[in-house]
Amino acid sequence: MDFNGQKVLPAIKQMKDFETVLNSEYEYMVMLDLHISQLAGIMKYARSKGKKLLLHADLIQGLKNDKYSAEFLCQCLKPAGLISTRGEVLQTAKKNNILAIQRLFLLDTIALETSYKLAKKIQPDFIEILPGVLPTFIKKVNEDTKIDIIAGGLIYEEQEITSAIDAGAKAVTTSRKELWNYRS
């Protein structure tokens, strides 16, 4: 899976940015920091424009990030994917044939080892590494887990996108609108 060649996955924090991406050529986008009351409308509008949403399940306000909320998201809203740090959310996504994207924060060796254990157990479709500006770790995590990588967080320049892709990332998530027009 490579997001149909899309290298940048716009990460939406504000609704005005949602409109911008809906009117772009991008097929996939990441929705961050949503309120539960916005979900159905956003999903319907995105589908009407042929867009595929990756929902960050841990950041939906008013919805607990557990397997029951993941079941609701998968069965009622059917996003293209769910992003989470929680194993039960990722397992539920996989069970429902929705992309499971494990978020991995590169804090220290213990965090890395804990994330590896979760990845081994769950076998997510992708691991999103944060911060995404560490090409050495993009390559290392990909080699260690054999799972495709998405890089995200603290990406401020086009060169950082290029470095992440060159290190093996399939795509880069960014909320920086000025990077949404990146072309490799």
Side-chain angles (χ1 to χ4, degrees):
M1 167 73 187
D2 69 353
F3 302 104
N4 291 334
Q6 187 177 326
K7 296 297 183 189
V8 172
L9 303 173
I12 312 301
K13 290 196 283 190
Q14 299 174 356
M15 289 313 294
K16 66 181 179 181
D17 296 334
F18 178 65
E19 288 287 333
T20 299
V21 177
L22 282 180
N23 295 313
S24 74
E25 79 264 7
Y26 285 120
E27 180 180 5
Y28 289 88
M29 67 180 90
V30 176
M31 296 301 296
L32 304 171
D33 199 26
L34 285 170
H35 188 279
I36 190 172
S37 66
Q38 298 171 304
L39 286 172
I42 284 172
M43 292 300 299
K44 183 178 179 182
Y45 195 28
R47 278 195 184 97
S48 75
K49 296 282 196 168
K51 305 299 181 183
K52 296 180 180 172
L53 298 183
L54 306 171
L55 296 177
H56 195 306
D58 300 350
L59 297 179
I60 299 172
Q61 297 170 28
L63 196 63
K64 190 175 179 182
N65 60 344
D66 62 11
K67 70 178 180 178
Y68 302 109
S69 62
E71 285 175 9
F72 165 75
L73 293 171
C74 293
Q75 294 172 11
C76 295
L77 298 175
K78 298 176 177 67
L82 291 181
I83 302 169
S84 183
T85 58
R86 307 204 24 114
E88 58 189 5
V89 171
L90 299 168
Q91 280 180 320
T92 302
K94 287 190 70 73
K95 184 171 69 175
N96 284 277
N97 296 315
I98 290 180
L99 289 177
I101 303 169
Q102 178 185 341
R103 218 168 205 211
L104 185 161
F105 292 98
L106 293 172
L107 302 173
D108 57 22
T109 304
I110 293 171
L112 187 62
E113 290 170 359
T114 300
S115 293
Y116 279 178
K117 287 177 188 171
L118 180 61
K120 184 176 182 178
K121 177 180 175 186
I122 304 296
Q123 287 298 303
D125 299 295
F126 292 93
I127 294 175
E128 181 186 26
I129 294 178
L130 291 99
V133 293
L134 301 170
T136 302
F137 278 91
I138 292 169
K139 186 174 181 176
K140 176 180 177 24
V141 172
N142 180 249
E143 288 173 353
D144 291 350
T145 65
K146 308 295 188 249
I147 297 171
D148 288 334
I149 303 299
I150 300 169
L154 300 179
I155 295 174
Y156 284 87
E157 298 177 11
E158 285 190 6
Q159 179 55 43
E160 293 164 333
I161 295 173
T162 301
S163 294
I165 299 298
D166 289 347
K170 294 291 182 184
V172 172
T173 61
T174 181
S175 59
R176 294 184 55 83
K177 292 178 285 231
E178 52 274 10
L179 297 178
W180 290 352
N181 293 320
Y182 171 84
R183 299 289 176 258
S184 57

